[in-house]
Amino acid sequence: MTFTGKTLMLSSSFRTLVRSRSFSTTGASRLYIQNNLNNDQTHPSLQAASNGAKVYDFRSDTVTSPTDEMFDIMKAASRGDDVFQEDRSVKELEEYVADLCGHEAALFCASGTMTNQLGLRTHLSNPPHSVVCDARSHVFLWEAGGIAFHSRASVSPVICRNGIHVTADEIEGNLIEADIHTAPTRVVSLENTLSGMVMPIDEIRKISELARSRGLAMHLDGARLWNAHVQSGTPLSDYGAQFDSMSLCLSKGVGAPVGSILVGNRPFVERARHLRKLFGGGWRQVGPLAAVAKHCIETVVPTMPETHALARYLADELTAMGVQLQVPVHTNMVLIDTAPVGLDVQNDLVPALLSKNIVIGGQRNKSRIVLHHQVDRKGVDTLIQGVREAIEARRVAEQPTQQAAASSSTL
């Protein structure tokens, strides 16, 4: 790069770099972040009416409650020490999920954030280095800066052009090559589902082939991979073949009380186990939680088609009223925009639904409505009726203003 008078001359190598890498500098919008925080955090102010009726919580699929049957299964589970790797129920769960995913081993942990961060940290051992991922991904936005804190890595967030999933071309355009000035890319991290949307296996394969041709590790945040697997019909082992590590949550759509699981090859999982202890994540008599998680995989995951169908039904009814969808509905999430019908989520919609024992989150005109196995048709119909009444109440409230405006215009 040289200056000639007032003209900046670019070297051919620099021009090639600029053409080959589409530097992503646009961050996720503040409203997007706040909207998801409002759905994923607890809300002491959101108290449903105490009329003895069932309360339906649509803020997330993390809110499911353990059943009496689950407690019976927990009571019958083994009670060994997992730090010593002596618990039968934990070993059964880990072997079961590893086999489903086509991997050698698995590690049962407390949360999806823990399994994501352990997976990434196990891959990232020699800074400087970086992770490339979707700009909307959980590992980037919702894990408290864990990649920087635990792995001393930077992140290259990719803005996907199609609004659904990143592509191999977009990932390639954001890979950072090794250079004295850079933190080179060492891991490609994908998320499936993302905002309920399923990432196609064909695109995942293209990205995996690209990553492996560059010597990069592939990690999957598969917190809701169960939903993607059920909706697409793609076996978990087909997904597993594309990734070096996978994090699968057990306390979201699967409905277990606690837990997430990390899968990979045996040396990888043993290293992650060591890091789990370092992080303070070694837990002891955890067999009851492992036993009920395996039970939920076997009994709740098969019900996901019904949950997905209810989500599509809800989306159709809401759009028929004029509510817009922020993204397509593929599985169990319905992200809505109420601006076209004039509703503010916190001031109009939340109170109207709380009076009907329906709990949602959101902010301004945006809300993420999440269905799970403890939501039935009655709960969805009650939500639909609450939205319909809120729209009508807004229309009635605006009529005097509209009439006054019309009168003044004729004077």
Side-chain angles (χ1 to χ4, degrees), residues 110 227 345:
N227 297 86
V345 170

Side-chain angles (χ1 to χ4, degrees), residues 177-196:
E177 301 294 340
D179 182 273
I180 194 172
H181 304 287
T182 68
T185 305
R186 295 291 181 235
V187 179
V188 176
S189 180
L190 303 180
E191 185 172 339
N192 195 19
T193 66
L194 195 158
S195 294

Side-chain angles (χ1 to χ4, degrees), residues 220-285:
L220 176 67
D221 176 0
R224 296 179 176 89
L225 186 65
W226 312 98
N227 297 86
H229 150 65
V230 167
Q231 184 61 30
S232 67
T234 302
L236 290 170
S237 57
D238 282 8
Y239 288 116
Q242 311 309 317
F243 293 94
D244 301 292
S245 58
M246 300 165 67
S247 165
L248 296 91
C249 198
L250 302 168
S251 64
K252 294 188 173 71
V254 176
V258 176
S260 184
I261 197 159
L262 177 68
V263 302
N265 65 35
R266 204 165 301 282
F268 176 90
V269 169
E270 285 309 304
R271 174 61 176 157
R273 186 182 300 276
H274 193 176
L275 290 169
R276 184 187 70 170
K277 181 64 173 162
L278 170 68
F279 284 10
W283 43 3
R284 300 292 181 174
Q285 288 71 30

Side-chain angles (χ1 to χ4, degrees), residues 113-133:
T113 294
M114 178 177 282
T115 46
N116 274 330
Q117 292 303 317
L118 282 173
L120 293 169
R121 177 63 183 83
T122 304
H123 289 306
L124 295 165
S125 59
N126 189 25
H129 43 211
S130 62
V131 176
V132 64
C133 64

Side-chain angles (χ1 to χ4, degrees), residues 80-159:
D81 190 312
D82 181 49
V83 172
F84 295 157
Q85 299 184 54
E86 294 175 351
D87 187 82
R88 172 181 51 80
S89 294
V90 172
K91 288 182 177 181
E92 288 177 357
L93 172 67
E94 291 174 342
E95 291 169 1
Y96 176 64
V97 177
D99 184 63
L100 284 176
C101 295
H103 279 268
E104 290 181 342
L107 182 67
F108 185 39
C109 297
S111 71
T113 294
M114 178 177 282
T115 46
N116 274 330
Q117 292 303 317
L118 282 173
L120 293 169
R121 177 63 183 83
T122 304
H123 289 306
L124 295 165
S125 59
N126 189 25
H129 43 211
S130 62
V131 176
V132 64
C133 64
D134 192 306
R136 304 164 297 174
S137 63
H138 198 277
V139 297
F140 176 50
L141 292 178
W142 311 122
E143 297 186 6
I147 293 176
F149 186 85
H150 296 296
S151 299
R152 296 178 292 166
S154 60
V155 178
S156 300
V158 179
I159 307 298

Side-chain angles (χ1 to χ4, degrees), residues 318-340:
L318 294 179
T319 54
M321 298 180 209
V323 175
Q324 286 187 350
L325 300 179
Q326 299 179 59
V327 297
V329 176
H330 290 174
T331 55
N332 66 322
M333 294 188 184
V334 184
L335 277 69
I336 62 172
D337 184 342
T338 59

